[in-house]
Amino acid sequence: AAVICVDADIGDMCLMYLQKVTERQFYFIENTFQPILLENEGKGVEATEVEDENRFVELLSQEETFLCTTDSASRAEVLLEKLVQQGITDVKLITAKQDEYKSLDDYKKVIFSPKIIYGVDSQLKRPVYAMFYEHTISPFQMRQMVGRCRHPTYIRYIFFKKKYRPLENTLESIQKTIEERNIA
């Protein structure tokens, strides 16, 4: 009898487990297909970081169509509520709780949580927004979620737990930073 195991993220732990549970020889075959973001790198897909959550919501609310991913179902619900407060009611929310959908392309505006990481693609050309709180999924999975849109017109993203924030490029802010760090 043959057993076939498939996973998007096979690591050493998976292979060690297989060695422990079977004496049979097994083969590891790596799919070398590159995700859509690698295909688009260097081909004009602009990715811009948005540093402020209110600005992120404002930009999103101005779009006629979008795909928005987040790594938190509860934050996806909060984001939807913020859009509804602005009168935007034609957004499809897809989480583990609200998971009835046929195709991402059936909806002009979609917000989705890690309910969709792999296997479901959108062929529509539209902006992609990504809102990551960095506490539930890996960076690889974040990239997979953004890659659900196969033809992004541009990408806007926000990270909330970033340790690095760019310095302001004013003489006063640079002098203040130097003084705070005792750099002379």
Side-chain angles (χ1 to χ4, degrees):
V3 176
I4 299 173
C5 302
V6 180
D7 192 2
D9 228 355
I10 295 178
D12 291 341
M13 186 170 34
C14 298
L15 299 175
M16 290 179 351
Y17 175 77
L18 286 173
Q19 288 173 338
K20 296 277 186 202
V21 299
T22 183
E23 294 178 5
R24 302 182 99 177
Q25 184 176 1
F26 62 89
Y27 300 95
F28 175 70
I29 301 170
E30 182 178 0
N31 180 353
T32 59
F33 175 77
Q34 294 297 313
I36 191 70
L37 289 181
L38 280 182
E39 292 174 9
N40 282 333
E41 285 174 357
K43 294 184 181 177
V45 177
E46 174 190 336
T48 306
E49 182 173 17
V50 179
E51 302 251 348
D52 178 72
E53 183 176 6
N54 292 329
R55 178 73 177 138
F56 185 91
V57 173
E58 176 188 335
L59 290 168
L60 189 61
S61 70
Q62 296 170 4
E63 300 290 356
E64 288 185 33
T65 181
F66 62 78
L67 204 60
C68 181
T69 179
T70 180
D71 57 353
S72 167
S74 62
R75 295 303 298 178
E77 292 169 352
V78 169
L79 178 58
L80 177 64
E81 182 56 36
K82 287 180 180 185
L83 292 173
V84 167
Q85 288 172 0
Q86 294 185 20
I88 300 162
T89 59
D90 59 339
V91 180
K92 177 64 177 174
L93 178 66
I94 303 171
T95 68
K97 291 184 214 170
Q98 306 90 356
D99 66 350
E100 292 182 21
Y101 67 97
K102 293 179 183 161
S103 166
L104 294 175
D105 291 344
D106 289 343
Y107 313 98
K108 289 175 118 186
K109 300 173 183 177
V110 181
I111 298 173
F112 66 97
S113 73
K115 168 71 177 173
I116 301 173
I117 294 179
Y118 309 105
V120 177
D121 296 330
S122 171
Q123 298 298 324
L124 295 179
K125 286 186 177 187
R126 60 177 146 189
V128 175
Y129 284 72
M131 179 181 271
F132 294 122
Y133 292 86
E134 306 167 65
H135 67 288
T136 59
I137 61 174
S138 72
F140 178 81
Q141 292 170 317
M142 291 176 191
R143 182 176 174 194
Q144 287 290 320
M145 290 179 76
V146 171
R148 296 306 87 215
C149 182
R150 295 302 191 181
H151 304 287
T153 53
Y154 53 85
I155 301 167
R156 291 186 174 144
Y157 60 93
I158 186 168
F159 288 95
F160 288 95
K161 291 187 179 178
K162 252 180 17 176
K163 292 185 171 124
Y164 167 77
R165 294 275 183 211
L167 295 174
E168 289 183 51
N169 287 326
T170 65
L171 181 58
E172 294 80 23
S173 68
I174 292 171
Q175 286 175 331
K176 182 179 177 186
T177 301
I178 290 171
E179 290 169 9
E180 288 172 353
R181 296 181 184 177
N182 289 325
I183 301 172

